[in-house]
Amino acid sequence: MPENFVSTRVNFPQIEKTNLMGLNRQDMAVFFAELGEKPFRVSQITKWIHQLNISDFDQMTNISKALRAQLKDKACIKALDVIEDQISKDGTRKWVMGLEDNNRIEVVYIPEDDRGTLCISSQVGCALDCSFCSTARQGFSRNLTVAEILSQVWLATRLLDQEIKPGRKITNVVLMGMGEPLLNFENVMKAIDVMLDDFAYGLSKRRVTVSTAGVVPAMDRLSERHDVQLAISLHATRDELRDDLVPINKKYNLKELIAACHRFMATRSPRSRLTIEYVMLAGVNDAKQDAEELVKILNGISVLINLIPFNPFSESGYKTSSNNAVHRFQDVLMKAGLMTVIRKTRGEDIDAACGQLVGKVADKSRRENKFKAPRIGMNT
Ligand code: SAH
């Protein structure tokens, strides 16, 4: 049995059961092989859980009663608890979801005319301490398990299905919620396995996006493991400023990050684009000169630039760039031939916008100790 198989188990009072919610195809195959079952069970159960959204073994009508009994004995299908469910006036929906250890994470659904995007979390809190992000304020608590990551998609699917309008509502998943997905590499990769699996969510690889602050070695590993989209939270074009805004830059500076972007794109089809995220902070990184510098450092990489108006939170110390400044910045990039969009802020009235997700961690003292520990470096 693979060593990391254990991480998908949850503890019950008397017996340890495997939470099938967190098993990708390979792990599910190991599980059924141990039960002496045939491999076709993998697709069968995956479909029940992730496509039909069923968590009760008794509803799995094409499974014999004997196997159902065995499954009930050895396994469970356990999702997170929904603690809050808020809908913004623009239709954006935010859920606060509770974990077994009483920590909380946030998940956001953004409906648009031609798509529905689910923004999910990969960690409880975040260790990267980006100066303009409210998640950073709570420090890092822990990585989410595969089951906890997938459970966000599973629950959102279920809750959206209860709406009156029928049809598939989640077409895109972005790992842009709380946490740094590339610092929870293996669990995020396994969760993506299931998102792309035709017997599960069957999402197109072009519609799953991993967003990173620039964990360079993990970008290389991602390029080998999954052909999904990558977004880089760049935000600055000089090391001095980026060290300040995105402190992981002190470990992997701009030169290394840009080199990693070139390497990453060399593994992709010529038509694909790397997303560059750039938060617009008034008087900090929004001058015409910054835009010109950005054009220079992105030279030779096929990109789509997302300018993100800064979403304020209390005591952030930053201001959102003016509309003029954002448009002037966009003009410079567009004139240089770089496709650039200004990201519309969604769900502001329910604190669901980028960088406003705070969740809640249970054990403050433990958290604060962790926050003092070295903040980066795990799994890299
Ligand atoms: N750790 C990953 C993913 C989470 S953050 C990353 O850094 O990419 C998702 C995006 O929201 C990042 O581009 C981040 O820089 C941006 N963001 C964070 N705080 C923000 C804020 N207050 N306003 C606007 N965007 C913000």
Side-chain angles (χ1 to χ4, degrees):
M1 185 184 292
E3 208 180 298
N4 46 18
F5 191 75
V6 176
S7 70
T8 56
R9 298 196 166 190
V10 292
N11 289 319
F12 278 75
Q14 274 125 20
I15 187 166
E16 200 181 67
K17 296 190 181 192
T18 300
N19 187 0
L20 301 184
M21 179 73 79
L23 304 192
N24 67 359
R25 204 153 264 282
Q26 284 74 28
D27 289 344
M28 189 92 84
V30 173
F31 174 81
F32 279 110
E34 281 191 344
L35 289 188
E37 285 292 325
K38 296 246 165 63
F40 76 89
R41 295 291 182 204
V42 174
S43 299
Q44 211 174 26
I45 296 285
T46 299
K47 195 168 170 181
W48 277 115
I49 301 173
H50 297 288
Q51 211 173 76
L52 301 169
N53 222 243
I54 297 294
S55 55
D56 176 2
F57 292 117
D58 283 330
Q59 288 182 40
M60 301 183 178
T61 44
N62 58 358
I63 311 264
S64 70
K65 277 209 173 121
L67 179 55
R68 276 190 244 161
Q70 221 184 346
L71 286 173
K72 276 191 242 174
D73 191 41
K74 301 222 160 55
C76 61
I77 301 165
K78 199 163 183 329
L80 307 177
D81 296 323
V82 176
I83 292 175
E84 272 177 49
D85 182 347
Q86 285 174 280
I87 302 187
S88 154
K89 50 181 191 282
D90 68 17
T92 301
R93 196 156 163 186
K94 180 173 92 172
W95 295 285
V96 177
M97 296 188 186
L99 314 177
E100 289 221 317
D101 57 7
N102 291 328
N103 280 316
R104 291 171 181 199
I105 53 163
E106 297 186 351
V107 183
V108 177
Y109 176 70
I110 307 149
E112 284 170 285
D113 290 343
D114 58 343
R115 70 177 92 171
T117 303
L118 190 70
C119 177
I120 62 172
S121 296
S122 55
Q123 297 181 316
V124 183
C126 188
L128 294 187
D129 203 20
C130 297
S131 60
F132 53 88
C133 178
S134 65
T135 304
R137 298 294 160 101
Q138 65 170 262
F140 174 69
S141 186
R142 68 172 174 86
N143 280 332
L144 294 182
T145 63
V146 185
E148 287 165 340
I149 298 169
L150 282 171
S151 181
Q152 299 171 58
V153 186
W154 189 91
L155 262 177
T157 305
R158 169 170 280 205
L159 295 163
L160 290 166
D161 270 352
Q162 289 165 0
E163 286 180 357
I164 300 155
K165 226 168 64 190
R168 197 167 112 181
K169 298 182 179 86
I170 299 170
T171 58
N172 294 51
V173 171
V174 295
L175 282 124
M176 293 184 186
M178 299 165 67
E180 167 53 49
L182 292 188
L183 286 179
N184 185 11
F185 191 83
E186 204 41 51
N187 290 350
V188 166
M189 293 303 117
K190 286 186 177 187
I192 292 176
D193 288 339
V194 179
M195 290 177 210
L196 302 182
D197 191 331
D198 282 339
F199 285 90
Y201 299 96
L203 291 174
S204 151
K205 61 193 184 195
R206 285 183 303 278
R207 290 171 175 269
V208 174
T209 303
V210 175
S211 180
T212 181
V215 187
V216 164
M219 285 166 61
D220 291 323
R221 287 168 69 201
L222 172 66
S223 69
E224 290 160 14
R225 181 75 152 76
H226 269 305
D227 196 7
V228 290
Q229 300 301 300
L230 180 64
I232 306 290
S233 296
L234 197 59
H235 309 318
T237 55
R238 290 174 285 120
D239 279 323
E240 196 196 355
L241 177 60
R242 197 164 191 272
D243 282 353
D244 221 40
L245 300 179
V246 188
I248 197 177
N249 194 67
K250 292 180 198 156
K251 188 159 183 180
Y252 308 111
N253 66 18
L254 274 166
K255 195 164 164 240
E256 290 173 77
L257 178 57
I258 296 298
C261 292
H262 280 281
R263 283 198 301 278
F264 186 87
M265 292 312 282
T267 69
R268 292 327 203 218
S269 88
R271 278 181 311 144
S272 71
R273 284 172 196 276
L274 181 69
T275 301
I276 300 292
E277 296 167 282
Y278 195 98
V279 64
M280 299 296 294
L281 303 166
V284 175
N285 65 354
D286 63 347
K288 193 164 168 256
Q289 219 182 336
D290 293 304
E292 288 162 356
E293 206 48 48
L294 193 54
V295 172
K296 274 193 213 150
I297 68 170
L298 294 177
N299 183 32
I301 310 175
S302 174
V303 291
L304 166 66
I305 302 175
N306 259 300
L307 300 180
I308 317 174
F310 169 65
N311 295 306
F313 53 93
S314 69
E315 291 166 33
S316 72
Y318 293 108
K319 287 206 180 80
T320 312
S321 300
S322 67
N323 263 340
N324 270 350
V326 178
H327 282 101
R328 183 183 60 196
F329 204 92
Q330 184 188 30
D331 276 352
V332 174
L333 300 172
M334 297 284 271
K335 281 198 182 116
L338 301 182
M339 201 199 278
T340 307
V341 295
I342 300 170
R343 194 184 281 174
K344 234 169 60 189
T345 290
R346 299 285 304 260
E348 228 174 348
D349 52 326
I350 55 167
D351 284 344
C354 270
Q356 292 186 322
L357 305 186
V358 288
K360 189 168 174 280
V361 286
D363 181 347
K364 197 161 182 290
S365 57
R366 215 181 90 229
R367 178 191 98 212
E368 276 172 0
N369 288 338
K370 286 206 167 154
F371 199 29
K372 283 181 202 127
R375 295 184 191 172
I376 50 180
M378 319 83 69
N379 297 343
T380 58

